[in-house]
Amino acid sequence: MAIRSFFVPFLLFALCFNSSLTPVLSLYEDQVGLMDWHQQYIGKVKQAVFSTQKTGRRRVIVSTEENVIASLDLRHGEIFWRHLLGSNDVIDGIDIGLGKYVITLSSGGSILRSWNLPDGQMVWESFLQGPKHSKSLLLVPTNLKIEKDNVIVVFSNGRLHAVSCIDGEVLWNKDFEAESFEVQQVIQPPGSDLIYVVGFAASSQFEMYQINARNGELLKHESETFSSGFFREVSLVSSETVAALDSTGSILLTISFQNGEISFQQTPISNLVEDSSGPAVIIPSSVPGIFAIKTNAITIFIRVIGKGKLEVVETTNHETAVSNALPISEGQQAFALVQHAGSEIHLAVKLAHDWDGNLLKESIKMDQQRGLVHKVFINNYIRTDRSHGFRVLIVMEDHSLLLLQQGAVVWSREDGLASIIDVTASELPVERDGVSVAKVEHNLFEWLKGHMLKLKGTLMLASPEDVAAIQSMRLKSSEKSKMTRDHNGFRKLLIVLTRAGKLFALHTGDGRIVWSHLLRSLHKSEACKSPIGLNMYQWQVPHHHALDENPSVLVISRCGPSSGAPGVLSFVDAYTGKELNSLSLVHAVVQVIPLPYTDSTEQRLHLLIDSDKHAHLYPKSSEALGIFKREFSNIYWYSVEELDGIIKGHALKCKCTGEVADEFCFDTRDLWSVVFPSESEKIIATVTRKSNEVVHTQAKVIADQDVMYKYISRNLLFVATVAPKGSGEIGSVTPEESWLVVYLIDTVTGRILHRVTHHGAQGPVHAVFSENWVVYHYFNLRAHRYEMSVIEIYDQSRADNKDVWKLVLGKHNLTSPISLFSRPEVITKSQSYFFTHSVKAIAVTSTAKGITSKQLLIGTIGDQVLALDKRFLDPRRSVNPTQAEKEEGIIPLTDSLPIIPQSYVTHALRVEGLRGILTVPAKLESTTLVFAHGVDLFFTQLAPSRTYDSLTEDFSYALLLLTIVALVAAIFVTWRLSERKELQDKWR
């Protein structure tokens, strides 16, 4: 027994000593990427320009719907450089000037920039002003010079500008002051010093301006009226001819302005295609002598011959995309044509003057989950036999980008992930036979290939591609990338919904795409012409007694931009991505309320509120209806009408009556309303607690063994209003004209529990609500600094339980029922602090049991995520805390919140275009999973109170084993020496 008692303390000491050798506050450079991953995207490509000079890297310059300018490697699709211009700096056009500058036009034609092609550094920036707002057009002629200076031609803000390509200086400009003039094309014929500006005026008049390109002098102005009017845009057929449609979309117009004389040639579409019905639209393209129109589901290609005469060269009912023309030799221009045919796309490259011949014709197998081809860009190269080869860049319906060459997909980019609109997490399957998410074939060939690659790596004979393959194999075989649950809960699936209507499942271990699915319900169709994805909810989450069912998610969408458009429900298997079911609703979906009830199959009940304030129950089953009726009187919700400044509370009334009546439809009634005066307050932010947040305890033990009780309610709503004048940009008003008012409202009764006014403050407001506290960020106009304020709310109705011994012994009234209809006795504590950064998003860490300390996750203006301990935002902080408060952990009060460089969760990385931060609790109480998304994606594991419940990955088990062996040996030697000494003493 003596030996055992001697061994246990030494073993504990060895464990503590060994763990203390591991630093826990720092992160080594080689540790970045072990528990986190970062992915870079650019978004859906709008325009692309190829740069394939003989010297230098081959690249393509693109602009995207996320306002990104990027240079991509043509070999692998990797990003050489990119710039995110911001949400208000929309890119209107891009081109390449002098073969070494990237020219961009943005902000409605107000900003013209030049970037260095190799490294993306800005060369110059020019601001272009004009008399009125107008369409923006960019033209970079290859042969137009003014005094040895290459010229960029820009039409923007009702003014034509000639800008130097070298330094951005405006050489001349010409105003187009006619209020109704809408520019359609700016044309510079090759080898000419003339510029033609053509467009419509008063919707029925065609205007043509002929301008001297060297000095901006107006040489000629002609106009011609067409009584039927014009419809939308025109298609450029030649340098002196455009094609247009009349206002009914039934007559084609060929408009010629040769030598400055305007002439119309009319051709009814019915003369070209017998079965045409309905209005036609022109497909945007720029191919000499040819243009395309679409009527119903038919695409018609038309050639212009002679003086405005039209000839149909092809008619197809397949979905078709056309590229602009590409000069390939003197007098010859080629273009690409892509058509869908089942699971394949047919690619043809033709000469503009020879429709029947094909320079290239290929069929390429395409993943149907990518949808249709939306845009096509073509580039050529010279083969070794001196013939022309072509590479084609295509943009798909799911916003992915693919490069096609020699009948194959060279590379692809999943840039739809740059536009995530909602995220939810799903558990992986339990590890057992027959359960797998990814069906991977492990055959003998793959096994031998893997061992050969490892052998090449060992012998240092591996190429860079082989090294990448070896690293990929190691990553797949590692524990963190397994497709089953782990006991710590680190491995999960992140289900994301993108703006394109596609679902992706990302593995939290390495960020790879497990599956992807383009929802059928979000395809454009005759029944749903403008589908829009809205939100995603957990639909079925099986637990251990129902593991035969896969979890599923509910995707809510609607057929149109208006809130009254019919809704669409999609049910998707979270393990496979299979769309289980889809429902086209006859009613709109204005609000979705997930209810805290499930049926026997663990499908969660949801209440959908339509535009007529009817409530619809889903799933539509008798069991769900029975559960719902039992809880009928306990269901409350609220709605926010921001434009009218009204917040209302609602409850169920009775079954619906009228045309929409069924047993799953219910009428609603208004319980209360809070009306904010429109002349003094405007709603700018509302926040509630997460419905699944876990609170460990209601009691908070403070100094002197006193106890305060948190006011915990899932029905609290944080509302921020601002003076109407202060709802604009920061600094647009004086401190006396703006104020920020914050409310805490009970959504069951409509009772205002707390109200505070910040005079001289302005939005935008970002807030997060957790447990009994809310933190919000705003701008202080008086101090010219950002501020963060905290409000904590406590329950005074349990004031007689302040003795901590009553809490320990159970002599308290914490189990007594509480009704929200009785006036709560609450007190609040609040404090404000200066904060250095502007904020894009705020979230809070969440853990499985709610025991671990909270950290605020702040998305800064620099697109990084900062972790800030909630203790810094404790309203009980004071300048000189007492000894008892120090022992409690109260930090001395300062006027500013600290920014600690080591607290950046994203390290030195940036999540470009940061829009949201999601936190997911792991099974391990100390750890939370953090996912930040914008144009980029970032994932990591975070331990706010350090990993107190587990050993770190770099824990030295070898040192522990050596210590134990040394202790056992020491004990044995000591015991032998003790025995010998005892024997010698007995012989004396």
Side-chain angles (χ1 to χ4, degrees):
M1 290 296 292
I3 294 176
R4 289 179 184 173
S5 63
F6 174 78
F7 175 73
V8 171
F10 266 81
L11 180 58
L12 292 174
F13 170 79
L15 282 168
C16 295
F17 176 75
N18 190 56
S19 61
S20 68
L21 295 176
T22 304
V24 294
L25 291 175
S26 60
L27 187 70
Y28 292 104
E29 185 179 358
D30 59 352
Q31 289 179 309
V32 176
L34 292 178
M35 295 299 175
D36 55 59
W37 45 263
H38 179 233
Q39 298 176 356
Q40 294 182 316
Y41 297 100
I42 57 175
K44 184 182 181 181
V45 170
K46 297 193 298 184
Q47 299 166 302
V49 183
F50 290 87
S51 172
T52 54
Q53 299 176 353
K54 293 181 180 179
T55 59
R57 295 175 173 176
R58 290 182 172 85
R59 63 183 76 209
V60 58
I61 310 300
V62 298
S63 68
T64 73
E65 292 183 354
E66 302 299 323
N67 297 331
V68 173
I69 305 164
S71 173
L72 304 180
D73 182 5
L74 268 182
R75 294 182 181 274
H76 308 291
E78 297 171 350
I79 298 172
F80 283 140
W81 56 261
R82 63 174 179 165
H83 295 289
L84 179 63
L85 297 188
S87 58
N88 297 324
D89 199 2
V90 179
I91 302 169
D92 304 307
I94 63 169
D95 210 331
I96 294 179
L98 301 179
K100 59 182 179 179
Y101 300 122
V102 177
I103 310 299
T104 63
L105 182 67
S106 60
S107 290
S110 298
I111 303 177
L112 185 68
R113 297 183 179 96
S114 175
W115 313 81
N116 194 29
L117 179 61
D119 57 12
Q121 295 295 318
M122 186 188 295
V123 180
W124 52 258
E125 182 179 50
S126 291
F127 295 91
L128 308 177
Q129 305 299 326
K132 63 174 185 176
H133 178 72
S134 70
K135 185 177 181 179
S136 301
L137 298 171
L138 173 66
L139 178 66
V140 184
T142 57
N143 56 354
L144 180 60
K145 292 187 177 182
I146 299 177
E147 297 179 358
K148 299 182 179 180
D149 198 349
N150 286 71
V151 175
I152 301 167
V153 179
V154 176
F155 191 99
S156 65
N157 298 313
R159 179 176 290 172
L160 186 67
H161 308 262
V163 183
S164 167
C165 191
I166 304 298
D167 56 11
E169 179 187 357
V170 177
L171 303 175
W172 56 258
N173 56 60
K174 171 66 181 173
D175 286 349
F176 294 77
E177 297 179 352
E179 291 185 2
S180 60
F181 178 69
E182 296 179 7
V183 66
Q184 294 297 324
Q185 292 283 345
V186 176
I187 308 161
Q188 194 263 327
S192 171
D193 287 341
L194 299 178
I195 294 176
Y196 291 100
V197 179
V198 297
F200 303 136
S203 74
S204 62
Q205 192 165 317
F206 182 80
E207 302 276 344
M208 186 279 300
Y209 296 85
Q210 189 184 74
I211 295 170
N212 188 333
R214 296 192 175 277
N215 54 22
E217 178 187 356
L218 178 62
L219 302 177
K220 201 168 190 178
H221 173 212
E222 295 289 336
S223 64
E224 193 75 28
T225 302
F226 183 70
S227 58
S228 298
F230 301 99
F231 181 66
R232 294 182 183 173
E233 297 184 351
V234 302
S235 180
L236 184 64
V237 178
S238 71
S239 60
E240 295 178 332
T241 307
V242 296
L245 288 165
D246 75 332
S247 58
T248 63
S250 59
I251 297 177
L252 274 171
L253 297 169
T254 308
I255 308 171
S256 174
F257 43 92
Q258 189 173 7
N259 299 322
E261 301 295 329
I262 300 174
S263 63
F264 294 144
Q265 182 74 33
Q266 303 181 39
T267 306
I269 295 176
S270 58
N271 291 356
L272 301 173
V273 181
E274 295 180 357
D275 300 330
S276 66
S277 61
V281 293
I282 289 181
I283 297 176
S285 64
S286 179
V287 180
I290 294 175
F291 67 97
I293 63 172
K294 189 171 185 178
T295 173
N296 296 333
I298 300 174
T299 302
I300 308 164
F301 292 92
I302 302 169
R303 178 188 292 142
V304 180
I305 55 176
K307 294 186 177 180
K309 293 184 180 179
L310 304 181
E311 176 190 11
V312 176
V313 293
E314 186 173 329
T315 301
T316 178
N317 56 4
H318 295 298
E319 289 291 336
T320 307
V322 187
S323 75
N324 287 337
L326 171 74
I328 58 174
S329 61
E330 187 70 28
Q332 287 191 329
Q333 297 191 52
F335 67 97
L337 184 70
V338 176
Q339 294 184 342
H340 282 266
S343 61
E344 291 185 337
I345 61 170
H346 298 318
L347 169 64
V349 178
K350 300 173 179 286
L351 288 173
H353 64 273
D354 182 14
W355 181 270
D356 297 327
N358 291 314
L359 295 176
L360 177 71
K361 191 170 184 180
E362 296 173 341
S363 294
I364 302 163
K365 202 162 187 66
M366 189 62 61
D367 183 3
Q368 291 185 322
Q369 295 303 327
R370 296 193 182 278
L372 305 175
V373 176
H374 276 191
K375 289 183 182 292
V376 183
F377 306 95
I378 185 175
N379 177 242
N380 71 313
Y381 60 94
I382 304 298
R383 298 192 182 105
T384 54
D385 61 357
R386 310 307 296 171
S387 63
H388 288 285
F390 296 92
R391 54 175 74 94
V392 177
L393 194 70
I394 60 174
V395 183
M396 304 299 293
E397 184 180 356
D398 68 342
H399 297 186
S400 60
L401 185 66
L402 295 84
L403 184 72
L404 310 180
Q405 189 172 335
Q406 297 180 356
V409 178
V410 179
W411 52 258
S412 63
R413 293 181 52 88
E414 295 292 350
D415 284 303
L417 288 168
S419 57
I420 293 174
I421 58 177
D422 203 3
V423 190
T424 188
S426 174
E427 293 288 350
L428 283 164
V430 176
E431 188 167 8
R432 58 178 181 175
D433 294 337
V435 177
S436 177
V437 178
K439 297 179 179 179
V440 183
E441 296 181 358
H442 293 285
N443 53 32
L444 179 61
F445 175 75
E446 289 177 351
W447 183 82
L448 290 172
K449 181 182 176 182
H451 279 72
M452 287 298 296
L453 284 172
K454 290 178 181 178
L455 180 60
K456 288 173 71 176
T458 304
L459 299 175
M460 301 179 68
L461 299 175
S463 64
E465 291 79 10
D466 293 337
V467 172
I470 293 169
Q471 290 175 345
S472 177
M473 289 170 53
R474 286 174 178 169
L475 191 62
K476 287 180 181 179
S477 63
S478 66
E479 284 291 320
K480 71 175 186 178
S481 61
K482 287 180 67 175
M483 298 306 302
T484 54
R485 298 183 194 181
D486 60 310
H487 64 279
N488 288 329
F490 295 161
R491 295 197 296 263
K492 295 181 186 292
L493 287 178
L494 293 172
I495 314 295
V496 302
L497 173 65
T498 67
R499 196 181 300 134
K502 190 170 186 178
L503 284 176
F504 291 87
L506 306 178
H507 195 292
T508 57
D510 52 11
R512 74 181 184 277
I513 298 172
V514 177
W515 56 258
S516 61
H517 182 77
L518 189 64
L519 295 174
R520 295 192 305 272
S521 55
L522 288 174
H523 268 296
K524 288 184 181 180
S525 62
E526 290 297 323
C528 188
K529 294 185 177 180
S530 301
I532 299 173
L534 298 177
N535 297 101
M536 188 165 45
Y537 300 88
Q538 295 281 356
W539 177 252
Q540 188 175 21
V541 186
H543 291 85
H544 291 289
H545 61 279
L547 284 176
D548 292 336
E549 297 286 340
N550 287 357
S552 55
V553 295
L554 167 65
V555 180
I556 307 286
S557 52
R558 65 172 176 236
C559 292
S562 67
S563 60
V568 180
L569 306 184
S570 301
F571 306 91
V572 180
D573 191 311
Y575 285 174
T576 63
K578 181 181 177 181
E579 193 168 358
L580 303 174
N581 193 15
S582 178
L583 300 176
S584 296
L585 309 179
V586 295
H587 59 82
V589 180
V590 176
Q591 192 174 1
V592 180
I593 305 164
L595 301 175
Y597 316 118
T598 58
D599 60 14
S600 58
T601 62
E602 303 205 44
Q603 289 184 347
R604 189 169 183 179
L605 275 60
H606 288 72
L607 206 58
L608 275 57
I609 313 300
D610 65 18
S611 54
D612 297 322
K613 296 186 178 180
H614 295 302
H616 303 266
L617 176 66
Y618 291 88
K620 290 190 173 184
S621 65
S622 56
E623 182 186 2
L625 185 62
I627 296 170
F628 184 75
K629 286 182 177 179
R630 288 197 298 271
E631 303 292 342
F632 191 87
S633 60
N634 294 326
I635 297 174
Y636 302 88
W637 71 95
Y638 70 93
S639 62
V640 180
E641 301 171 13
E642 290 189 2
L643 295 178
D644 298 326
I646 302 174
I647 299 178
K648 294 181 180 180
H650 310 278
L652 297 166
K653 184 178 179 182
C654 60
K655 287 190 175 181
C656 291
T657 56
E659 296 181 0
V660 296
D662 64 25
E663 59 179 336
F664 301 99
C665 176
F666 300 87
D667 284 332
T668 64
R669 57 193 173 99
D670 294 344
L671 294 177
W672 55 265
S673 64
V674 177
V675 181
F676 299 96
S678 58
E679 64 276 4
S680 61
E681 294 185 57
K682 179 182 179 181
I683 300 173
I684 59 170
T686 57
V687 175
T688 58
R689 279 181 56 201
K690 277 187 177 180
S691 60
N692 60 349
E693 183 184 32
V694 177
V695 180
H696 176 61
T697 178
Q698 186 182 359
K700 180 178 181 179
V701 180
I702 60 176
D704 302 326
Q705 303 301 310
D706 202 356
V707 179
M708 298 180 71
Y709 293 95
K710 305 171 187 175
Y711 185 78
I712 304 295
S713 173
R714 298 187 186 279
N715 302 301
L716 272 183
L717 173 67
F718 168 85
V719 181
T721 66
V722 72
K725 286 186 178 180
S727 59
E729 293 184 358
I730 292 175
S732 59
V733 292
T734 63
E736 291 74 22
E737 294 176 316
S738 184
W739 52 85
L740 177 70
V741 187
V742 166
Y743 299 85
L744 292 179
I745 300 175
D746 189 302
T747 59
V748 173
T749 62
R751 187 177 290 117
I752 297 175
L753 301 181
H754 182 66
R755 178 182 185 273
V756 62
T757 302
H758 299 274
H759 294 284
Q762 193 179 4
V765 172
H766 295 88
V768 62
F769 208 140
S770 177
E771 295 189 350
N772 68 319
W773 53 265
V774 61
V775 171
Y776 52 101
H777 177 276
Y778 55 93
F779 189 76
N780 186 329
L781 289 168
R782 297 184 189 276
H784 302 286
R785 298 176 70 177
Y786 289 100
E787 281 188 1
M788 290 185 75
S789 292
V790 58
I791 299 173
E792 293 186 356
I793 182 167
Y794 292 94
D795 188 356
Q796 283 292 93
S797 63
R798 309 185 188 280
D800 57 336
N801 295 320
K802 286 191 174 183
D803 188 353
V804 70
W805 291 110
K806 285 187 177 182
L807 183 67
V808 173
L809 298 174
K811 296 182 178 180
H812 51 73
N813 61 348
L814 293 180
T815 57
S816 60
I818 298 176
S819 173
L820 291 174
F821 290 104
S822 60
R823 178 175 289 275
E825 300 176 33
V826 297
I827 62 168
T828 59
K829 294 181 179 294
S830 60
Q831 186 64 271
S832 297
Y833 306 90
F834 290 124
F835 189 67
T836 306
H837 294 296
S838 174
V839 166
K840 288 188 171 184
I842 300 182
V844 63
T845 57
S846 57
T847 55
K849 303 297 182 183
I851 300 172
T852 305
S853 301
K854 300 283 186 180
Q855 280 188 342
L856 291 171
L857 301 175
I858 302 170
T860 67
I861 192 65
D863 291 324
Q864 292 184 295
V865 179
L866 175 71
L868 184 65
D869 198 317
K870 169 59 176 63
R871 293 185 303 158
F872 288 112
L873 283 151
D874 192 331
R876 294 170 53 237
R877 287 177 65 184
S878 59
V879 178
N880 296 307
T882 64
Q883 184 61 34
E885 288 176 333
K886 289 180 181 178
E887 292 174 359
E888 185 189 341
I890 300 293
I891 302 171
L893 179 64
T894 55
D895 62 348
S896 299
L897 294 172
I899 304 296
I900 305 170
Q902 291 83 359
S903 296
Y904 281 101
V905 175
T906 47
H907 318 304
L909 303 172
R910 296 180 62 184
V911 186
E912 294 283 359
L914 179 64
R915 283 189 292 267
I917 303 171
L918 173 74
T919 60
V920 181
K923 288 183 180 178
L924 202 63
E925 172 57 28
S926 65
T927 308
T928 182
L929 310 180
V930 180
F931 178 64
H933 62 89
V935 175
D936 294 346
L937 308 181
F938 179 81
F939 174 86
T940 190
Q941 299 173 15
L942 194 63
S945 300
R946 307 182 191 177
T947 50
Y948 56 82
D949 50 359
S950 65
L951 296 174
T952 59
E953 280 202 348
D954 53 353
F955 181 83
S956 180
Y957 291 95
L959 182 58
L960 174 61
L961 184 61
L962 288 172
T963 305
I964 293 173
V965 170
L967 285 172
V968 170
I971 291 169
F972 180 75
V973 170
T974 305
W975 176 71
R976 291 290 297 170
L977 292 175
S978 177
E979 287 286 323
R980 182 178 297 178
K981 186 175 184 301
E982 208 174 305
L983 182 61
Q984 290 175 353
D985 289 341
K986 288 182 180 179
W987 280 102
R988 287 179 180 174

